[in-house]
Amino acid sequence: MAKYAYRHRFTLADPSLPYAEHEVELVLASGELVTLRTREDKPIRESRELVIVRGGYVDPAVAREAGVGARAALERAFALCRVAADFGDLSLGGGGPSKYLQDEVLEEIGVRILADAPHLMVIEESDIKTAFMGVSAHVYAPANQSLLEAALLHSSTAGPVNPRRQVAYGLFSTSHTAANPEVRLLLLVMAIEVLADDVPRTTAERAVIDSALSLVEGNAGLTPEQKNSLRGVLQHAKNQSVSATGQRLVAGMHGRLYGGTSPVALFKKAYRVRSDLVHGNMPRPEPAAVSAIAAPLELLVAHIIAGPDLVSDVLGATEV
């Protein structure tokens, strides 16, 4: 009977994992093991190009589901440890071997070569030696090994993967490569916006908005385009502002301090800077001032992505 394996390569922003080995087994919350392996000729702690693999599945769909869950667990654990990784969501891929080359190499030297795809792969396991071929599209500190492994043990792979969390993690990871502190802060605020749920305004507030919508509909002096524009603005206004929903989200980290500041106060400060930057308000914030906000904001975003439950389970209730 055929068996299948999942394989997911990824690239770290910096070599930031703690392992001196070239390959290690990590334990997930489900009890399942996943192999973490470098794709470079150096230890994991010196590598940026890595891959996770696990085999032995009799159903390729089950293998894919397990791969999706393993990636989700890694993202939460990485976020908690402030490790940034690109899992290839925005990669165009390509650069793999042609079918002709695959056949020739298999015949000549007995090696199966497969595309080194920058995303989750499910492949049929084989006794034939397999090689992966493709084109690969700071100051750093390695993550704490015990913290990383504890986070993986507590980061459940059960249930559906949260796609918004994956988008937020992508923004968080991209912020690590941004040399400009303004870009870094904007990406971090965007990550919070992605995760913030829409919250309806009060019944009284929505009644006022409905009255305004009625005025728009009954105004003969407005063009259809103007009415459509106003409808959109007013319908959007039925939910609380992004600033308010962001504050509501970060309040879940109450009891912790980030750079000596409460989560809500820090987000308010960051959102004000974000608004100044986006709307071109003058004078522009000083780069040093932006950096001073972005640094603790990065930790707050990491904890938001990891989730209050994981942060509490692994770090306890201590302040940061």
Side-chain angles (χ1 to χ4, degrees):
M1 177 184 293
K3 290 194 175 181
Y4 299 86
Y6 69 76
R7 177 183 189 272
H8 203 327
R9 90 176 214 214
F10 59 94
T11 303
L12 299 177
D14 291 302
S16 46
L17 296 182
Y19 302 101
E21 301 86 350
H22 287 65
E23 178 179 308
V24 293
E25 296 284 319
L26 301 176
V27 185
L28 304 182
S30 62
E32 184 166 298
L33 297 176
V34 58
T35 299
L36 173 68
R37 181 183 299 152
T38 179
R39 296 173 56 242
E40 303 176 70
D41 187 22
K42 58 179 80 170
I44 290 172
R45 67 185 179 191
E46 299 175 16
S47 301
R48 294 181 61 239
E49 300 294 335
L50 300 157
V51 63
I52 51 171
V53 295
R54 182 68 179 171
Y57 299 95
V58 296
D59 185 337
V62 174
R64 178 168 294 278
E65 182 180 353
V68 169
R71 169 184 166 173
L74 274 180
E75 285 183 334
R76 292 189 72 193
F78 282 0
L80 185 66
C81 295
R82 301 170 77 181
V83 172
D86 176 9
F87 282 88
D89 293 334
L90 302 180
S91 173
L92 296 177
S98 67
K99 180 66 166 59
Y100 172 79
L101 180 59
Q102 287 177 309
D103 292 342
E104 285 292 303
V105 172
L106 183 59
E107 181 178 345
E108 291 294 323
I109 61 174
V111 175
R112 179 179 66 157
I113 57 172
L114 300 176
D116 192 12
H119 50 72
L120 176 63
M121 300 173 61
V122 173
I123 59 176
E124 186 174 341
E125 294 185 306
S126 172
D127 292 332
I128 301 172
K129 183 178 180 180
T130 302
F132 292 88
M133 174 181 175
V135 179
S136 296
H138 327 227
V139 175
Y140 70 91
N144 180 287
Q145 181 173 335
S146 59
L147 179 63
L148 175 62
E149 292 175 356
L152 282 171
L153 282 172
H154 286 82
S155 183
S156 174
T157 59
V161 172
N162 183 342
R164 289 195 295 166
R165 177 179 280 154
Q166 291 193 331
V167 172
Y169 180 77
L171 293 166
F172 165 79
S173 294
T174 303
S175 76
H176 281 64
T177 65
N180 186 314
E182 295 179 352
V183 174
R184 183 180 173 209
L185 182 138
L186 290 174
L187 289 167
L188 292 169
V189 172
M190 286 171 62
I192 293 177
E193 292 181 40
V194 166
L195 291 172
D197 293 323
D198 287 335
V199 178
R201 292 186 183 275
T202 64
T203 302
E205 289 173 317
R206 292 169 73 87
V208 171
I209 294 169
D210 285 335
S211 297
L213 281 166
S214 297
L215 290 174
V216 170
E217 299 300 338
N219 192 315
L222 295 174
T223 66
E225 292 77 11
Q226 289 171 328
K227 286 186 177 183
N228 281 335
S229 176
L230 289 170
R231 281 192 206 103
V233 170
L234 291 170
Q235 289 289 357
H236 185 73
K238 287 187 175 182
N239 290 322
Q240 292 182 10
S241 67
V242 173
S243 175
T245 55
Q247 291 175 48
R248 184 171 179 266
L249 174 66
V250 302
M253 291 298 168
H254 63 86
R256 293 184 177 276
L257 297 179
Y258 296 86
T261 306
S262 73
V264 171
L266 176 61
F267 177 73
K268 284 182 177 179
K269 193 183 300 184
Y271 199 81
R272 281 196 299 271
V273 174
R274 172 258 182 211
S275 296
D276 287 341
L277 294 172
V278 170
H279 299 296
N281 296 339
M282 295 295 169
R284 292 176 69 85
E286 290 293 328
V290 177
S291 291
I293 297 171
L297 183 65
E298 177 194 302
L299 181 58
L300 173 60
V301 171
H303 285 182
I304 293 293
I305 295 170
D309 54 343
L310 182 61
V311 173
S312 178
D313 287 345
V314 177
L315 298 182
T318 56
E319 295 180 348
V320 177

